Amino acid sequence: MNLNEIQQLEKTGKEPKWHPSIKSSFLFVKTAGMRLGPELLVLELFREVFYHKKFAETLAKKDYNLEAPHYSESEKLVLYAVRGRNRRARKKSVSGAPLYCPAYPIQARDAWPRTKTDRVVRDFLLAGPLKQYAFDHKLNEAQIHEISECIIAGLVGHNAATPKDYNKKEFLSVALKGIPSPANMDLAGAPRELVSHINDHSDVMKLGHPDPLAERIAQDFIHLCKAEQGLGRIQWLSLLKGFLRLSTSSWLLAQMSLSIKLRDWVLGMIEGTIAAPGEAEIVSSFATRHENLFIPNIVPGKPAEHQVELYMKARVELNILLHWIGALTGSTLGEKQIVVSGKSADTITIADLLQLAEQSAQKLSPESKKALRETLVRQAECFEAWNDPLNNGQGKNLNEFLLVLKRNSETDGDQSYMLTPAKGGAFTVFPGPEMLITIIFLAAEGKGKGTGKLMLSDIEAHLASYGVNFISATARPRLIQKLQEMGLLKGSPDAGDSVEILLPIKHA
Amino acid sequence: MGYKNNQFVGKLQGLQQDGQAAISGPKNWKEPPLLEIKTSIDETITQISDSILTKKGQNTKGKWFFWIGSPGNGKSAAVGKLCRELKARGCSLRTEEGEDIFSTGYTGLPYKIEVCENGEKFSSAWLAQDASAVKNPFSESVDPANDLITLLSSAWEKGVSLVICTNRGVIERAARKILEGELANQPWAKMVKIAVANDSPTGFEVSGKKKVFQLIQFDYATLDNMSILSGAGTFKGLIEKAVSGENWKECDGCAAAELCPYKQNCLWLSDPAGKSNFLKLLQRAEALSGQTIVFREALGLLSFILAGCPKDYTTTPCDWVAQRIEAKDYFALLSRRVYMALYSSYTPYGLEENEQIREEQVKTLAAFINQNSDELLAKSISCVTSMSSAPSLDVGVTRLLGHEGIFKKLDITVDPITREFDTKWGWPFEADQSLRPFLSRIEEICLSIWKLMDDSIEGQSDDAASKIKWLSRWATSFTFRMGSLVQDAHHFKPELDEYLEIAEIQGKKGQLSQDLLRKLAHLEQHMQSVLQTTSNGGVPLAEYARLEGPWVTSELTPKIKLKTQASGQAIPVAFGNSTQMMNLSAATFCWLAQKRDKHVAQCTFPEELLESLQIAQERVVSTSMYAYKDSGVEIKINTPDGKVGVLRRTEGDVFIP
């Protein structure tokens, strides 16, 4: 059979329509979009968990309007205290409105994203790593509820004041104590809302063992929410912002890399250039998908753009390849969901899919097989998302979202960045001071008490578990120097990863 | 009189960081180390060698001993000494494959050494000289922590004595693995936990049959923060051993002796004042760096000062000296003098550091050579300007000697030179015989060459100013540094002395002097003012919010809090009544002291030092529970329109005053 005889793929937007076997599977990457700063992630988190209405009813998002009469002077000051950088104004001479961050869920009542927008906090945190974690650990509903309660307690504030009870309560919450709860807000129903996201096994990745990335993100989120009890809200929010920035970006990039891996295998199997990977290899490859997502370096590059470009091309190609396999083998691939393991009538494992890919190759004429890559490129070229992934379709959105890791300017006070702009639209990858503090704090929380001192190796391992790998020859000395400058290093000069790290923030 | 070859100088080269003797292992354990001195570890070694053996069944209590420390601080060398003591007691020491580690030709680095007593077939003790290394580097999963766990488990199984040396990182990783797993209740797991948590060591009963010992006494030693410059005088001992007369006897009668920088450096360090200033300088360097100088660094430094850089040599250091003398490359010899080795080994011939500026300097120096030039001047300056045989800049110990090293931060040339110092050590420089032994024949010859150059400028008008400038800059790059070491005067010297004085006074009996108390009070005031200026008062909580109020003033004001027990080279600072302490780094102290004494501008304070102070304050704030105090706390907030808003808390409630 000749590949050109197969009916062309249906187009949706600027790329081929998702193959049904992917759309319902763990491989499906949900959409993302620009977030101007981590403050918007906090806002989104509060709206996702505590509000019935998550988004605006119109396409226009709603920003804070502090001129509104219901804002007390105290509440305004709380919003000013934890605000982020100023937005870029249209006119260069004036500065734009600040990015406000709600200190408590109640402060999320008057601002929300536009309707039908991407939901990165839901997709890349609550129904992403948290859901995967609950599945991996076979948590029952009661256990998931317990975790949800723990998270809610942190988000609501363990020591938040009420109008009648404010002695020894958290400072900012006392300043906000008189604000009436809006009808749209549902504190009591928040755990249920969270459970609904987490307790759903529909598109989890069944590795047979806990997924390391989900494990790390979920545990850190739980530790962070528990630690709220002993910290001032301002410091805790700073940690939360750093965490949300890194965890959502890492999860997205890691999910993207799955399609790249699968495309390579499927293409290799049809071409007959690779041997079918065993299940162990597949599982190991997927479980380590987050490795080297960010490689700190002093040489500027375009790491996020590069990843998005690779992914978008792989995504288009994978959809075409799956469409071909279905057509060539006459199988019911389109009615099945791709899984790593756990074969059933409705699913197809990666191993079986690769076998199917191999079988499909037998149906191809020698000429078609020889011109496989060329044909794939010719067909992929029909889609803008493949030709110019960073400016068309989902690639543009994904790339814009990943800029949440970017430092906007040296003077905007943002210290929890990962990407620093360099010339020509490039970035140097290196965690900012607050990002390092967040990681050190989380590494110490993860390590727990009574397990010895916190070492550089713990920090490196924690960063690596988010895909930030210090493998470049120049990056590690720079990390050591940075920690030394921050006064956090203790010990001998050539102790390597044994050098002790002091905790920058400790909760009581 | 001909040139001679001093074998000792050749051997010293092996102590450089990439030298053969830098890594301690069985191949260099056969003989005592080149610079063997008595240290506090020796006593421990004797105790261990006595208690790990069964002594034909007389001893039923074995010993497990963990040496925990950083790389290079002498753990493996200690095991080497232990092995020699055990051999002297008649034990055989062999690898797992049965090879005698002291046999001729054995060059391996065994993970485990088995100690067999007096012809016994089975071992009664195991030694792991570097448990931080992986047992099998070709294994698919290399993890020294796993190897350590296996070693501990199997040693316990056999009931043998065990001595291990390990980096802290490895034992902590092993501890984590053990605590997470099913092995947590094993006696050996408890030993690891004790060592990691710094708990009191104890004994453990060995159950089961066919065990070598019935009881194991556990002990450990941490070498992480042990300075070899203070206390027992280990570094001083190393110097004395290195410069001892017998090691340099071979130089007697050598034609190069007077012009040999190594022999002359030896004489410098043999002089009581020279040695004392050198040690004081190192102690200050250690304090400024905030990290202890480990054995390997100390040996590397001594090796460089007394034997130069192996990268320069095709044969031996002595041959190199002879070749440089023959080539009249006197400035190469001068570049290896002790003061240049410390302060300027990162630039060739003491010339400018910046390459472009150096080119200009070299060009001007080359212009001193013409057909009427003196032969000595022409030949020696040609060597400098051609750079073809310039001494290597890759001299090792980069943390101390590199172009971003600690000695560069202490270099006198980074400070404005005082008139008095300039008069004595500036150009023109008058050689004074009272400067001997610090002023050697090498300096005399180089001074005479500079004098010839200076004289040749007379009568010229075209480029005289440029020539004088570059000549004096070059000459003073040597003479200032020499003066710095001779007079014990360098950048941050008074500040670091004060720092060390305060740090070392801890734990000593007696009242602090009025003068010191006054200095401490001033320093606290300045620390407070520096922190307040950077955050517009108060303690920063976020970019736009800072913490203030009476409670903050009383609870978060920095105060130097000297401990009643010695706490090493650190000055503890407490914030208010908080139990959280930070160690005031020497670098921050120096800047604070300069602000106090020299009224330096706030804006000159290095940003990274401020960052460390602020992070220390943040740490205290995070545990202070400020957010839960009912009174005396206020948060000042910079509003977007440039105003300052205040949220004040009194009687539990928060309001805008």
Side-chain angles (χ1 to χ4, degrees):
Chain A
M1 196 175 183
N2 195 320
L3 285 170
N4 290 323
E5 293 167 18
I6 300 173
Q7 194 188 352
Q8 286 283 317
L9 261 178
E10 203 179 322
K11 191 174 177 180
T12 164
K14 299 187 173 183
E15 58 180 305
K17 202 172 169 185
W18 278 102
H19 194 272
S21 62
I22 297 181
K23 186 140 194 203
S24 55
S25 83
F26 67 97
L27 290 162
F28 183 72
V29 176
K30 309 242 174 34
T31 186
M34 180 179 276
R35 300 290 183 277
L36 290 171
E39 294 76 20
L40 300 184
L41 292 174
V42 177
L43 172 68
E44 200 176 327
L45 174 64
F46 286 160
R47 297 232 31 124
E48 280 288 356
V49 178
F50 298 103
Y51 288 81
H52 293 307
K53 197 175 88 177
K54 321 284 183 201
F55 303 100
E57 280 153 4
T58 64
L59 277 176
K61 60 183 186 282
K62 186 169 178 204
D63 280 335
Y64 283 95
N65 175 17
L66 300 195
E67 299 301 315
H70 61 265
Y71 277 106
S72 67
E73 287 304 310
S74 297
E75 186 179 8
K76 282 188 204 172
L77 283 177
V78 171
L79 283 167
Y80 292 153
V82 293
R83 74 185 191 270
R85 68 179 176 89
N86 288 346
R87 289 159 211 259
R88 202 175 290 165
R90 289 190 180 158
K91 278 186 188 173
K92 275 190 178 174
S93 53
V94 284
S95 59
L99 291 167
Y100 289 111
C101 176
Y104 282 92
I106 191 85
Q107 286 198 300
R109 68 192 185 284
D110 270 350
W112 51 78
R114 67 179 167 78
T115 189
K116 289 180 184 172
T117 188
D118 46 273
R119 294 168 70 176
V120 292
V121 170
R122 181 196 64 181
D123 296 335
F124 305 147
L125 179 64
L126 309 178
L130 279 176
K131 182 163 87 174
Q132 181 73 43
Y133 175 80
F135 171 80
D136 287 342
H137 289 271
K138 299 183 176 65
L139 301 184
N140 58 33
E141 194 159 343
Q143 288 168 316
I144 294 174
H145 199 83
E146 200 179 311
I147 288 177
S148 299
E149 292 276 12
C150 167
I151 293 170
I152 300 292
L155 300 181
V156 170
H158 291 87
N159 296 298
T162 63
K164 286 184 181 167
D165 179 15
Y166 51 82
N167 277 330
K168 308 262 179 251
K169 297 294 178 185
E170 203 280 325
F171 189 108
L172 296 189
S173 74
V174 180
L176 303 174
K177 69 180 184 302
I179 304 172
S181 193
N184 185 24
M185 189 175 167
D186 183 9
L187 269 182
R192 207 171 43 247
E193 178 73 24
L194 208 51
V195 170
S196 72
H197 290 305
I198 302 173
N199 196 16
D200 162 24
H201 300 166
S202 57
D203 52 359
V204 292
M205 188 163 59
K206 292 165 188 167
L207 292 175
H209 59 72
D211 169 41
L213 181 61
E215 189 90 350
R216 167 58 60 227
I217 294 175
Q219 283 186 354
D220 278 356
F221 192 38
I222 294 166
H223 287 147
L224 192 57
C225 289
K226 279 184 182 165
E228 196 272 348
Q229 198 162 13
L231 286 170
R233 192 73 174 178
I234 296 179
Q235 280 178 317
W236 183 76
L237 279 170
S238 158
L239 297 172
L240 179 66
K241 286 184 214 173
F243 165 77
L244 288 175
R245 237 171 162 176
L246 185 59
S247 59
T248 51
S249 307
S250 292
W251 184 260
L252 169 64
L253 282 166
Q255 291 304 101
M256 280 161 45
S257 70
L258 293 175
S259 296
I260 301 172
K261 282 178 195 291
L262 187 58
R263 185 272 319 264
D264 292 344
W265 282 331
V266 171
L267 187 59
M269 290 302 289
I270 300 177
E271 281 183 318
T273 51
I274 61 163
E279 191 171 316
E281 191 188 334
I282 294 167
V283 166
S284 149
S285 180
F286 282 5
T288 56
R289 70 198 182 284
H290 59 288
E291 281 180 4
N292 301 330
L293 295 176
F294 303 99
I295 300 176
N297 211 328
I298 53 168
V299 183
K302 297 184 178 177
E305 282 188 15
H306 179 66
Q307 288 293 322
V308 171
E309 216 166 345
L310 279 178
Y311 164 68
M312 285 309 294
K313 285 186 183 276
R315 169 166 152 165
V316 171
E317 287 166 10
L318 184 59
N319 276 303
I320 296 171
L321 288 167
L322 292 178
H323 179 65
W324 283 353
I325 294 170
L328 287 167
T329 57
S331 67
T332 54
L333 180 61
E335 293 160 20
K336 297 191 174 186
Q337 179 191 12
I338 298 176
V339 292
V340 181
S341 59
K343 196 175 354 184
S344 73
D346 304 327
T347 61
I348 180 166
T349 64
I350 301 266
D352 288 347
L353 171 68
L354 296 178
Q355 266 189 5
L356 207 59
E358 197 175 19
Q359 287 165 23
S360 69
Q362 292 161 11
K363 309 274 167 130
L364 279 176
S365 63
E367 302 81 54
S368 262
K369 205 170 172 183
K370 201 174 168 190
L372 185 77
R373 275 185 190 248
E374 197 187 334
T375 316
L376 182 63
V377 169
R378 291 289 90 86
Q379 292 212 7
E381 275 174 347
C382 302
F383 304 100
E384 291 95 323
W386 189 93
N387 282 320
D388 189 4
L390 296 174
N391 293 311
N392 287 294
Q394 283 302 307
K396 185 170 184 249
N397 300 336
L398 295 172
N399 189 38
E400 281 177 351
F401 170 68
L402 291 168
L403 294 182
V404 75
L405 289 169
K406 185 181 91 165
R407 181 186 202 184
N408 276 282
S409 84
E410 285 188 17
T411 52
D412 65 10
D414 173 19
Q415 299 288 306
S416 64
Y417 53 87
M418 179 65 80
L419 305 173
T420 305
K423 282 180 185 169
F427 297 95
T428 51
V429 180
F430 200 84
E434 283 294 330
M435 182 64 89
L436 280 174
I437 287 174
T438 305
I439 291 294
I440 295 170
F441 180 83
L442 293 172
E445 290 295 302
K447 192 172 181 178
K449 285 179 183 163
T451 50
K453 295 171 179 171
L454 192 68
M455 324 292 287
L456 178 62
S457 57
D458 294 319
I459 307 305
E460 285 185 294
H462 211 89
L463 280 162
S465 60
Y466 278 98
V468 186
N469 294 75
F470 279 79
I471 50 175
S472 137
T474 50
R476 196 158 185 249
R478 198 175 156 208
L479 175 67
I480 293 172
Q481 190 192 345
K482 188 67 210 166
L483 291 170
Q484 194 164 21
E485 284 171 4
M486 290 166 74
L488 301 177
L489 213 59
K490 201 179 166 190
S492 119
D494 51 358
D497 63 3
S498 315
V499 70
E500 190 188 336
I501 304 291
L502 289 172
L503 271 181
I505 292 182
K506 285 168 95 172
H507 60 88
Chain B
M1 193 162 61
Y3 296 122
K4 291 189 171 180
N5 218 330
N6 186 341
Q7 304 283 326
F8 172 74
V9 177
K11 284 181 192 166
L12 266 179
Q13 283 184 88
L15 296 176
Q16 302 238 336
Q17 276 183 328
D18 53 356
Q20 285 184 342
I23 304 289
S24 187
K27 69 173 188 287
N28 48 31
W29 285 351
K30 294 179 183 84
E31 299 295 328
L34 189 63
L35 301 181
E36 189 182 41
I37 51 160
K38 271 207 168 303
T39 68
S40 55
I41 296 174
D42 291 3
E43 212 173 297
T44 314
I45 292 169
T46 311
Q47 281 170 8
I48 294 172
S49 68
D50 202 47
S51 53
I52 60 171
L53 303 176
T54 59
K55 297 174 188 168
K56 293 188 175 168
Q58 287 174 22
N59 184 15
T60 55
K61 190 163 85 173
K63 187 167 187 98
W64 277 32
F65 192 88
F66 297 175
W67 255 308
I68 305 162
S70 308
N73 63 5
K75 300 185 298 292
S76 298
V79 171
K81 194 165 192 174
L82 176 63
C83 287
R84 285 194 297 279
E85 279 211 26
L86 290 169
K87 191 169 190 291
R89 284 170 183 259
C91 300
S92 68
L93 295 108
R94 60 190 192 204
T95 65
E96 279 180 272
E97 293 75 33
E99 202 169 349
D100 187 339
I101 63 158
F102 283 119
S103 64
T104 325
Y106 181 74
T107 56
L109 209 60
Y111 182 79
K112 184 178 92 183
I113 297 165
E114 296 179 350
V115 182
C116 301
E117 295 176 52
N118 299 314
E120 291 285 340
K121 196 176 170 188
F122 297 103
S123 57
S124 47
W126 294 355
L127 316 174
Q129 60 107 12
D130 188 3
S132 313
V134 288
K135 194 173 179 189
N136 178 10
F138 301 104
S139 155
E140 270 189 16
S141 55
V142 282
D143 184 353
N146 282 342
D147 291 341
L148 177 60
I149 291 170
T150 311
L151 176 74
L152 296 170
S153 165
S154 50
W156 185 258
E157 187 65 27
K158 300 264 181 204
V160 293
S161 289
L162 179 69
V163 178
I164 61 165
C165 300
T166 177
N167 290 353
R168 182 168 288 280
V170 174
I171 194 160
E172 293 227 343
R173 199 153 58 235
R176 234 171 303 151
K177 283 175 183 250
I178 292 165
L179 292 175
E180 283 166 6
E182 296 162 353
L183 303 166
N185 288 327
Q186 291 289 327
W188 55 266
K190 288 177 185 162
M191 294 185 203
V192 173
K193 205 176 161 189
I194 288 170
V196 166
N198 264 340
D199 286 341
S200 304
T202 183
F204 292 87
E205 205 171 306
V206 184
S207 55
K209 289 176 184 173
K210 290 189 178 176
K211 308 286 179 182
V212 178
F213 292 101
Q214 307 308 310
L215 191 78
I216 295 287
Q217 180 61 40
F218 171 65
D219 205 353
Y220 65 95
T222 52
L223 307 172
D224 305 40
N225 291 318
M226 200 176 72
S227 172
I228 54 172
L229 278 151
S230 53
T234 308
F235 204 130
K236 189 176 169 211
L238 284 174
I239 297 175
E240 284 166 358
K241 183 85 182 175
V243 301
S244 72
E246 60 195 85
N247 288 329
W248 297 84
K249 226 182 233 171
E250 280 186 62
C251 297
D252 293 347
C254 174
E258 279 199 327
L259 288 167
C260 173
Y262 312 133
K263 171 69 182 168
Q264 295 305 318
N265 288 348
C266 166
L267 292 175
W268 186 305
L269 294 179
S270 306
D271 179 86
K275 180 169 63 191
S276 166
N277 287 355
F278 178 74
L279 280 167
K280 279 190 266 183
L281 174 65
L282 279 166
Q283 210 171 351
R284 292 180 204 123
E286 183 177 75
L288 185 65
S289 77
Q291 293 177 325
T292 52
I293 293 177
V294 294
F295 248 98
R296 196 174 294 155
E297 285 179 310
L299 293 173
L301 184 66
L302 276 181
S303 161
F304 175 55
I305 290 170
L306 297 174
C309 175
K311 292 208 159 52
D312 287 330
Y313 313 142
T314 46
T315 51
T316 65
C318 296
D319 284 347
W320 179 80
V321 172
Q323 285 159 13
R324 295 299 93 212
I325 292 171
E326 291 301 316
K328 293 197 166 33
D329 192 1
Y330 295 113
F331 291 100
L333 300 171
L334 194 63
S335 300
R336 289 295 185 233
R337 287 289 274 146
V338 56
Y339 48 88
M340 293 305 282
L342 292 173
Y343 288 122
S344 189
S345 52
Y346 56 88
T347 65
Y349 290 111
L351 296 166
E352 296 295 316
E353 187 184 0
N354 181 295
E355 265 185 58
Q356 280 177 325
I357 302 175
R358 186 159 72 225
E359 267 177 39
E360 195 186 335
Q361 185 183 26
V362 167
K363 210 167 130 187
T364 311
L365 294 179
F368 278 96
I369 308 167
N370 56 43
Q371 51 191 6
N372 301 322
S373 293
D374 180 277
E375 190 203 344
L376 177 66
L377 184 154
K379 281 202 168 172
S380 58
I381 298 299
S382 296
C383 289
V384 174
T385 55
S386 73
M387 298 255 181
S388 56
S389 50
S392 171
L393 307 183
D394 185 9
V395 299
V397 210
T398 47
R399 187 177 78 91
L400 303 177
L401 304 176
H403 74 105
E404 288 189 3
I406 293 300
F407 283 112
K408 190 180 175 190
K409 291 180 182 152
L410 293 172
D411 194 350
I412 194 159
T413 59
V414 302
D415 239 358
I417 303 286
T418 63
R419 185 182 290 264
E420 194 188 358
F421 189 87
D422 188 45
T423 308
K424 183 154 190 193
W425 299 99
W427 185 254
F429 179 83
E430 294 300 327
D432 180 350
Q433 289 310 307
S434 68
L435 285 174
R436 288 198 179 278
F438 309 124
L439 183 85
S440 73
R441 183 79 190 121
I442 314 171
E443 278 86 10
E444 284 176 348
I445 292 180
C446 291
L447 285 167
S448 71
I449 297 168
W450 286 325
K451 181 84 173 48
L452 286 170
M453 292 166 83
D454 203 344
D455 291 345
S456 74
I457 302 171
E458 271 184 35
Q460 295 178 12
S461 56
D462 294 351
D463 53 357
S466 165
K467 280 185 168 174
I468 288 171
K469 181 183 111 179
W470 287 121
L471 173 63
S472 61
R473 274 189 72 88
W474 185 37
T476 52
S477 89
F478 289 87
T479 56
F480 280 163
R481 281 152 175 160
M482 180 182 175
S484 167
L485 198 56
V486 171
Q487 284 200 349
D488 191 22
H490 56 81
H491 187 47
F492 282 151
K493 188 232 167 189
E495 291 84 6
L496 286 168
D497 276 346
E498 188 185 334
Y499 181 85
L500 287 167
E501 186 188 359
I502 297 168
E504 284 171 7
I505 209 156
Q506 297 180 85
K508 288 182 184 166
K509 286 181 182 168
Q511 294 232 316
L512 303 184
S513 70
Q514 289 291 314
D515 185 42
L516 198 64
L517 284 171
R518 193 168 50 249
K519 281 180 178 174
L520 288 177
H522 278 165
L523 205 72
E524 281 169 0
Q525 281 171 11
H526 284 277
M527 197 156 29
Q528 179 69 356
S529 82
V530 165
L531 284 166
Q532 282 190 342
T533 320
T534 52
S535 58
N536 298 318
V539 179
L541 286 175
E543 178 67 9
Y544 304 107
R546 59 185 189 276
L547 195 60
E548 285 191 24
W551 180 84
V552 177
T553 312
S554 70
E555 298 295 314
L556 296 175
T557 303
K559 188 164 179 55
I560 292 172
K561 219 162 188 172
L562 299 183
K563 289 183 181 171
T564 47
Q565 289 178 336
S567 61
Q569 286 181 352
I571 297 180
V573 172
F575 289 87
N577 296 321
S578 160
T579 50
Q580 290 294 311
M581 309 279 271
M582 69 163 272
N583 282 334
L584 183 64
S585 76
T588 311
F589 181 94
C590 288
W591 280 96
L592 285 169
Q594 287 220 334
K595 189 173 185 300
R596 179 193 63 194
D597 301 336
K598 298 177 183 172
H599 308 289
V600 294
Q602 177 80 49
C603 58
T604 60
F605 209 98
E607 201 184 328
E608 66 272 16
L609 297 182
L610 278 178
E611 201 177 7
S612 67
L613 263 180
Q614 284 170 350
I615 285 176
Q617 243 186 344
E618 243 183 82
R619 187 164 57 230
V620 176
V621 166
S622 68
T623 50
S624 70
M625 301 293 277
Y626 77 88
Y628 303 96
K629 302 292 169 195
D630 277 342
S631 290
V633 179
E634 60 186 38
I635 296 179
K636 282 196 175 162
I637 299 145
N638 296 340
T639 64
D641 56 3
K643 293 176 185 160
V644 177
V646 180
L647 286 172
R648 182 174 296 162
R649 190 165 195 181
T650 306
E651 300 297 319
D653 205 354
V654 172
F655 62 98
I656 299 173

